[in-house]
Amino acid sequence: RPVDDGVPAGTIATTEINLDDMPALGRGHFGVVVRGAWRGVPVAIKQAPVGSDEAAARAMNTELSALRQLRHPLIVSLLGTAVPPGGKELWAV
């Protein structure tokens, strides 16, 4: 089912995600990657701002579409997406 920004993917409730207080794993042009856990499983969470930047939104949608289709032992799988309260970010888990 689609998440609030229209990106189709497995939607994960943010209440099921626990973010670590550790420093970010990485930062890039389109967001920050942090450690967390989803249903007790360690995960990386990309937190991308959702706003008026059309180019950033298109890039994130392209990345999510590609990750949904990829299955490889050396590439992190996309488990789903979440939109935290306020709707100002999109999380790729």
Side-chain angles (χ1 to χ4, degrees):
R1 75 185 167 130
V3 293
D4 294 345
D5 69 348
V7 176
T11 303
I12 297 173
T14 55
T15 55
E16 295 181 344
I17 299 171
N18 296 313
L19 299 176
D20 284 353
D21 292 333
M22 309 227 2
L25 295 171
R27 296 182 190 281
H29 183 70
F30 296 116
V32 176
V33 178
V34 297
R35 294 175 202 257
W38 175 54
R39 296 182 178 173
V41 177
V43 293
I45 302 162
K46 181 173 186 175
Q47 300 173 319
V50 177
S52 59
D53 185 350
E54 281 291 318
R58 278 194 308 275
M60 187 66 173
N61 286 337
T62 300
E63 180 178 346
L64 292 174
S65 294
L67 286 174
R68 279 187 204 102
Q69 297 173 30
L70 286 173
R71 296 290 179 263
H72 191 279
L74 300 179
I75 298 176
V76 175
S77 297
L78 176 68
L79 302 174
T81 58
V83 177
K88 296 187 188 249
E89 288 184 324
L90 175 64
W91 294 356
V93 180

